[in-house]
């Protein structure tokens, strides 16, 4: 029996730059110690206090089918949080709780696209983006950005990707995975103008909104006229180290949320109640709780930038947030993939090749700042010496 084209064509096929990751995992499984700077997952686990609440809620009987749109208190708390942070009036009717941000990304594209319609996304991109668009029946169209312009999208690149054919949506992510870059008011203004001019949905992935190192997080939904065409993806995964709990949400216009609740009824049937209770409890702990979870990434970003600024072979992209640093290693003469592979072989340090996040990040590697400060410092020292050695050979 044949599988549908929708599923067989979900991922692009061919080498996608993930070979280094799998090789590192195989080395580890075989007993070789590897410093893994690959996956965006905290080096701490979910707080025991959140687990206590999860346990309490489950023991109290919240183990049956939960309200499909999300439990009312959680929807209201997410709405209040979004309103407080963006100034945009937001109520529970604007929120649907989903099993993680990934499910919200899929739901957003299901809302925006009819089969065969084009959907834009920015390159470099979070690994699932093109497959999520295809899974929702769309045609994924990448918009390149340039390392030299700090991976900020330009109007010219957006217009060129659009060409003469219409597109229904543009997917953005700030703070950005994989680059760590933030879109400021100027970039968000360009994006907003572009989506308005072309009557497109803006799907704004803001799962790293608590990991902003300078200033406050800016959401494009707060820009004039944007609330009616913006769908915001949020999640407990990164803000509360709850990656495995699968609690996220989508925020948008009430009529669209009503349709997406209908989609939930026919796909996930909601999120387990005891996990929603735990998420609610965690959100009610306030900003300090979240700041504590984000703090190690900022500290590690700062210490790594000091190391990188002391040499001139490897360039760090300006990192304004998220748990990553993107490094330009082109001065070594190697591709990101070849560099990451050679670093793994020579020093057992695993990084993600930029190529695994799209062609725009070729010649780069991404570091996830997810090992302790001392291990990270020593791995970065080795990485920089390795790059200097390669660059001297290339010269
Ligand atoms: N968006 C981005 C940019 C991510 O990095 C991730 C997870 N790595 C997600 C969405 C999905 O996160 P989750 O489903 O755990 O909320």
């Amino acid at each position: 029996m044949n599988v549908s084209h929708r599923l067989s064509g979900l991922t692009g096929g061919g080498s996608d730059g993930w070979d280094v990751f799998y090789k590192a995992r195989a080395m580890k499984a075989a007993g070789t110690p590897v410093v893994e700077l690959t996956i965006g997952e905290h080096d701490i686990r979910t707080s025991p206090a959140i687990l206590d609440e999860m346990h309490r809620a489950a023991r109290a009987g919240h183990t049956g089918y939960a309200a499909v749109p999300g439990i009312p208190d959680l929807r209201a708390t997410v709405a209040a949080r979004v309103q407080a942070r963006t100034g945009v009036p937001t109520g529970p009717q604007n929120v649907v709780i989903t099993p993680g941000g990934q499910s919200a990304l899929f739901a957003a594209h299901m809302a925006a696209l009819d089969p065969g319609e084009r959907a834009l996304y920015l390159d470099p991109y979070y690994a699932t983006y093109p497959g999520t668009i295809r899974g929702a029946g769309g045609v994924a169209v990448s918009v390149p950005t340039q390392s030299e312009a700090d991976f900020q999208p330009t109007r010219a690149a957006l217009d060129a990707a659009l060409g003469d054919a219409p597109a229904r949506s543009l997917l953005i992510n700030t703070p950005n995975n994989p680059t760590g870059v933030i879109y400021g008011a100027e970039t968000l203004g360009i994006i907003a103008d572009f989506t308005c001019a072309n009557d497109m949905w803006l799907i704004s992935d803001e799962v790293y909104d608590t990991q902003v190192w300078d200033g406050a997080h800016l959401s494009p939904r707060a820009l004039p006229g944007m609330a009616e065409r913006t769908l915001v993806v949020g999640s407990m995964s990164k803000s509360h180290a709850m990656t495995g709990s699968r609690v996220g949400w989508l925020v948008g216009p009430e009529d669209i949320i009503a349709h997406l609740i209908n989609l939930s009824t026919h796909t996930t049937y909601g999120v387990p109640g005891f996990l929603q209770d735990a998420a609610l409890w965690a959100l009610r702990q306030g900003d300090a709780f979240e700041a504590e979870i984000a703090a190690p990434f900022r500290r590690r970003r700062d210490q790594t930038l000091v190391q990188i600024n002391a040499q001139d072979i490897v360039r760090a992209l300006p990192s304004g947030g998220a748990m990553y640093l993107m490094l330009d290693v082109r001065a070594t003469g190697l591709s990101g993939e070849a560099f990451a592979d050679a670093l793994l072989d020579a020093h057992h340090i695993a990084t993600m090749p930029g190529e695994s996040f799209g062609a725009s990040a070729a010649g780069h590697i991404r570091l996830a700042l997810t090992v302790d400060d001392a291990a990270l410092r020593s791995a970065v020292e080795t990485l920089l010496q390795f790059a200097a050695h390669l660059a001297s050979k290339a010269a």
Side-chain angles (χ1 to χ4, degrees):
M1 293 295 289
N2 290 334
V3 72
S4 68
H5 289 122
R6 174 174 272 167
L7 291 198
S8 63
L10 195 72
T11 41
S15 169
D16 54 8
W18 282 72
D19 296 355
V20 182
F21 172 75
Y22 292 118
K23 186 167 162 183
R25 284 281 152 107
M27 284 168 73
K28 250 186 134 170
T32 307
V34 175
V35 182
E36 283 194 278
L37 307 175
T38 48
I39 289 292
E41 185 155 38
H42 316 67
D43 43 327
I44 55 160
R45 300 284 90 184
T46 306
S47 148
I50 298 177
L51 299 180
D52 284 347
E53 177 57 19
M54 215 179 269
H55 185 238
R56 188 208 59 74
R59 291 303 298 243
H62 208 173
T63 53
Y65 292 125
V68 170
I71 57 172
D73 280 356
L74 182 58
R75 291 177 82 197
T77 300
V78 169
R81 171 190 174 89
V82 168
Q83 179 166 317
R85 287 175 184 214
T86 62
V88 185
T90 308
Q93 70 284 0
N94 298 115
V95 178
V96 58
I97 304 298
T98 59
Q102 179 55 42
S103 177
L105 281 165
F106 180 73
H109 285 95
M110 287 294 278
L113 303 174
D114 275 320
E117 288 188 321
R118 302 199 316 152
L120 272 46
Y121 65 100
L122 302 176
D123 178 339
Y125 53 86
Y126 170 52
T128 67
Y129 281 3
T132 302
I133 291 170
R134 291 187 204 111
V139 174
V141 178
S142 77
V143 181
T145 62
Q146 313 293 326
S147 175
E148 289 66 26
D150 298 338
F151 293 120
Q152 300 282 330
T154 62
R155 180 65 190 252
L158 289 164
D159 285 339
L162 184 63
D164 294 330
R168 291 302 301 143
S169 59
L170 169 66
L171 170 58
I172 66 164
N173 171 221
T174 180
N176 189 271
N177 175 14
T179 63
V181 160
I182 297 246
Y183 300 157
E186 194 185 329
T187 296
L188 291 178
I190 290 171
I191 287 168
D193 286 349
F194 174 75
T195 54
C196 289
N198 295 291
D199 196 18
M200 290 162 71
W201 284 102
L202 177 62
I203 300 173
S204 182
D205 178 345
E206 302 179 22
V207 302
Y208 293 98
D209 66 348
T210 62
Q211 298 177 7
V212 174
W213 311 143
D214 303 306
H217 170 67
L218 291 178
S219 172
R221 183 167 174 267
L223 297 180
M226 289 306 288
E228 68 196 52
R229 63 173 69 252
T230 305
L231 301 171
V232 177
V233 173
S235 172
M236 298 297 289
S237 289
K238 313 293 173 174
S239 57
H240 292 79
M242 290 180 71
T243 46
S245 292
R246 316 307 304 135
V247 182
W249 52 81
L250 196 69
V251 173
E254 182 176 357
D255 55 336
I256 298 300
I257 295 300
H259 285 291
L260 289 174
I261 292 167
N262 196 18
L263 177 68
S264 293
T265 303
H266 293 88
T267 51
T268 61
Y269 215 78
V271 175
F274 58 93
L275 296 173
Q276 295 194 61
D277 282 339
L280 175 63
W281 185 90
L283 285 173
R284 285 182 171 159
Q285 302 316 299
D287 290 350
F289 193 85
E290 297 167 25
E292 203 179 313
I293 291 166
F297 303 119
R298 182 189 185 140
R299 204 174 59 228
R300 293 168 190 166
R301 169 264 212 176
D302 290 348
Q303 78 170 36
T304 306
L305 288 182
V306 169
Q307 292 176 281
I308 289 172
N309 290 340
Q311 51 85 64
D312 56 9
I313 305 292
V314 173
R315 180 178 84 97
L317 272 292
S319 141
M323 46 175 74
Y324 312 101
L325 264 183
M326 186 66 101
L327 305 183
D328 182 346
V329 296
R330 286 176 289 183
T332 64
L334 297 187
S335 68
E337 196 162 0
F339 181 90
D341 195 44
L343 181 68
L344 178 62
D345 283 346
H347 297 290
H348 304 165
I349 297 168
T351 57
M352 288 301 290
E355 289 83 358
S356 57
F357 308 106
S360 295
H364 294 64
I365 58 168
R366 186 195 75 175
L367 307 186
L369 306 174
T370 49
V371 298
D372 71 61
D373 301 20
L376 178 66
R377 184 176 287 111
S378 143
V380 169
E381 211 47 58
T382 306
L383 184 159
L384 294 175
Q385 280 164 13
F386 186 65
H389 171 69
L390 289 172
S392 69
K393 278 205 308 188

